[in-house]
Amino acid sequence: MPYVHIRVTQEGVSAEQKRALIEGTTELLFQVLNKPPASTFVVIEEVPTDNWGVGGETVTALRQRERRISS
């Protein structure tokens, strides 16, 4: 019984994108490991950008800097 936990930053992931992630992950586990879709669990967790850090700073700070550079 596979359990897949996908974490993404909370930046507007649409219901359609989530559906595609769940469907694609389930299909991949079936193709690669022959795991039945009916017993495959996929959980998508959206994490606020203030709670996700990379390179010593929050994703919020990174996104703000990216916006300033691209303006």
Side-chain angles (χ1 to χ4, degrees):
M1 179 171 9
Y3 170 83
V4 179
H5 189 160
I6 299 172
R7 288 187 177 112
V8 295
T9 54
Q10 201 171 41
E11 297 179 273
V13 180
S14 70
E16 176 59 27
Q17 289 170 319
K18 291 175 189 178
R19 185 204 58 74
L21 284 170
I22 292 167
E23 185 179 295
T25 301
T26 302
E27 180 62 24
L28 180 65
L29 284 166
F30 178 69
Q31 289 177 3
V32 174
L33 299 177
N34 201 34
K35 296 298 182 178
S39 67
T40 297
F41 294 84
V42 180
V43 174
I44 299 171
E45 178 183 359
E46 293 183 87
V47 179
T49 57
D50 282 342
N51 296 347
W52 194 300
V54 149
E57 60 185 323
T58 65
V59 171
T60 302
L62 289 169
R63 297 293 186 259
Q64 289 171 348
R65 188 171 63 248
E66 288 169 358
R67 275 183 245 138
R68 283 193 301 266
I69 291 171
S70 66
S71 297

